[in-house]
């Protein structure tokens, strides 16, 4: 594991329509980011990416009515030391979720695993509604990861 002060902070910022293609675009950007920090614990990058992609997929699928124009999403990710942080923001509908009560659904359930996987994968996950904006904060790595 790297020392927290070995590297200057790096990151990515992406704004795009909240459409299914954004998931692959974000994964491509993350791959480039991981290449810049090959010393970063692969478990941290894997868990972070899994959590981020699950939340991102939920935003694309559930945050908007299908015909809503102007579906916008921003993704910001930073790596500082051995900590990866992300913020996902969208202008979709408010989310009614209490992350402290999220559990994995029964094996027969056809949906509902994404948020539970994200909670399990990430060291920190929070959601807030700020005006007309949903904001998800993610963290992986650092002390206690």
């Amino acid at each position: 594991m790297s020392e927290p002060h070995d590297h200057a902070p790096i990151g990515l910022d992406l704004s795009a329509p909240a459409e299914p293609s954004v998931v692959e675009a974000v994964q491509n950007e993350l791959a480039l980011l991981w290449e810049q920090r090959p010393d970063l614990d692969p478990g941290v990058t894997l868990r972070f990416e899994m959590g981020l992609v699950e939340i991102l997929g939920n935003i694309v699928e559930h945050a908007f009515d299908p015909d809503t124009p102007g579906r916008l999403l921003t993704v910001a990710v930073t790596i500082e030391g051995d900590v990866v942080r992300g913020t996902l923001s969208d202008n979709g509908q408010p989310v009614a979720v209490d992350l402290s009560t999220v559990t994995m659904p029964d094996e027969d359930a056809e949906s509902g695993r994404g948020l539970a996987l994200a909670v399990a994968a990430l060291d920190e996950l929070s959601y807030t509604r700020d005006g007309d904006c949903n904001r998800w904060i993610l963290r992986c790595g650092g002390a206690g990861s």
Side-chain angles (χ1 to χ4, degrees), residues 36-48:
Q36 295 178 56
R37 283 294 308 276
D39 61 305
L40 199 58
D41 181 344
V44 167
T45 60
L46 179 68
R47 291 186 304 114
F48 181 84

Side-chain angles (χ1 to χ4, degrees), residues 39-113:
D39 61 305
L40 199 58
D41 181 344
V44 167
T45 60
L46 179 68
R47 291 186 304 114
F48 181 84
E49 188 166 342
M50 180 172 40
L52 184 140
V53 166
E54 292 296 344
I55 299 297
L56 192 55
N58 279 348
I59 291 170
V60 169
E61 187 174 344
H62 302 294
F64 301 91
D65 289 326
D67 298 324
T68 302
R71 300 163 43 127
L72 299 176
L73 169 71
T74 61
V75 179
V77 177
T78 58
I79 302 173
E80 189 166 1
D82 61 351
V83 178
V84 184
R85 298 181 193 281
T87 303
L88 302 175
S89 303
D90 68 79
N91 62 343
Q93 302 168 27
V95 178
V97 65
D98 178 353
L99 294 172
S100 68
T101 64
V102 171
T103 59
M104 191 63 74
D106 292 335
E107 63 184 50
D108 295 334
E110 293 185 20
S111 65
R113 288 181 181 78

